[in-house]
Amino acid sequence: MGLVALKNISIAMDYYDDRDVYNYDTLNGSVHLVAFWVHRTVYETATSTLESVAVALCAYFIMGCSTAPGRPQTIVTFIVAYYNCIVAMFTLVYGTRLGRPEARSIAFFTQAVIAIASGLWIKRGDTAVFDLLWWLQYISPTYWTLSPLIRANMAGAGECVLLGPTGTECRASVGDLVVEQIRADRLSPDVCLACVVGLWAAFRAIQLALLVVDAHASAITGWLSGVFGAASTPDTKA
């Protein structure tokens, strides 16, 4: 979460400078909006991947996460995917052309809301407020990331609480109970990863759409004015 907060501040500092250069070059006809979108997407994805891999590896060993076969790869993969998805969401907020302070605050607030509404710790039926916001979990990167992360790190961990008939085989551990309690065993890691990547792609696509609308704002406004103006003009030919 700390890395995400720092990244938000970083994007807030460099996105607007990049956008000013893009606006100036666009007026001169020397750059296309797709080029700017590709530049931001490649730049942010590359830097975010390097940053998240470094942090994930450090945190993995410091926190003593599970070393069972396949689990380190799962943990690092989901941390990288989640971080990239959140960065794409931040850039989407900044692409709305809000002022820098307002956009930064909205980005923080949005990330906090979708994290709380992830549906893992607070479930539908627990509170009246969450019953109104339960659908947010399906567009929340946190919802699709926490489940496989907790499952990869907690399943089979801790003391045994249920032995098998032989008395030597452990059927359930403390970690298994945690996984079951938060329903982390109900989501397939493959499905979760596909949803995180899908959200990342959706955020980037919306960002491109906002650039297109912004670039053709005057033409769109004129077209809408013509359509609604013609509809509201009374017919005097009768």
Side-chain angles (χ1 to χ4, degrees):
M1 296 298 290
L3 181 62
V4 169
L6 291 175
K7 190 65 175 181
N8 183 25
I9 297 174
S10 173
I11 295 175
M13 295 177 66
D14 75 355
Y15 182 86
Y16 285 91
D17 294 337
D18 236 8
R19 185 62 185 263
D20 289 340
V21 174
Y22 158 73
N23 290 338
Y24 178 79
D25 290 340
T26 300
L27 293 176
N28 294 333
S30 58
V31 68
H32 194 270
L33 63 90
V34 174
F36 175 74
W37 177 79
V38 171
H39 155 68
R40 291 302 307 186
T41 300
V42 173
Y43 166 73
E44 291 170 4
T45 302
T47 56
S48 299
T49 299
L50 292 175
E51 292 164 359
S52 55
V53 167
V55 171
L57 291 176
C58 292
Y60 184 86
F61 292 106
I62 292 174
M63 298 176 65
C65 296
S66 175
T67 57
R71 295 191 181 186
Q73 297 91 318
T74 299
I75 293 173
V76 173
T77 298
F78 272 95
I79 290 177
V80 172
Y82 169 78
Y83 186 62
N84 271 285
C85 193
I86 292 297
V87 169
M89 184 190 71
F90 286 161
T91 304
L92 169 61
V93 174
Y94 291 119
T96 59
R97 299 305 301 275
L98 290 169
R100 185 176 302 185
E102 293 83 1
R104 184 166 56 236
S105 300
I106 290 175
F108 272 123
F109 178 76
T110 303
Q111 197 271 336
V113 168
I114 64 176
I116 294 173
S118 62
L120 291 174
W121 306 107
I122 303 176
K123 303 177 182 62
R124 192 176 183 182
D126 290 347
T127 65
V129 174
F130 187 74
D131 287 347
L132 297 175
L133 302 176
W134 67 270
W135 54 271
L136 284 175
Q137 65 185 12
Y138 296 112
I139 60 172
S140 168
T142 307
Y143 173 75
W144 301 109
T145 302
L146 276 182
S147 178
L149 279 181
I150 294 173
R151 184 176 179 179
N153 197 48
M154 296 297 297
E159 298 181 0
C160 183
V161 295
L162 179 62
L163 293 173
T166 62
T168 58
E169 177 188 1
C170 182
R171 288 190 171 182
S173 66
V174 173
D176 294 328
L177 296 181
V178 173
V179 170
E180 182 180 0
Q181 177 66 26
I182 65 173
R183 303 180 297 179
D185 56 341
R186 301 185 183 183
L187 297 174
S188 166
D190 294 337
V191 172
C192 291
L193 183 59
C195 289
V196 174
V197 174
L199 287 173
W200 175 87
F203 292 150
R204 291 296 178 183
I206 296 173
Q207 179 191 355
L208 177 59
L210 290 174
L211 287 172
V212 172
V213 171
D214 189 48
H216 301 88
S218 58
I220 294 174
T221 302
W223 179 79
L224 291 175
S225 299
V227 171
F228 289 105
S232 60
T233 302
D235 188 0
T236 59
K237 295 182 179 180

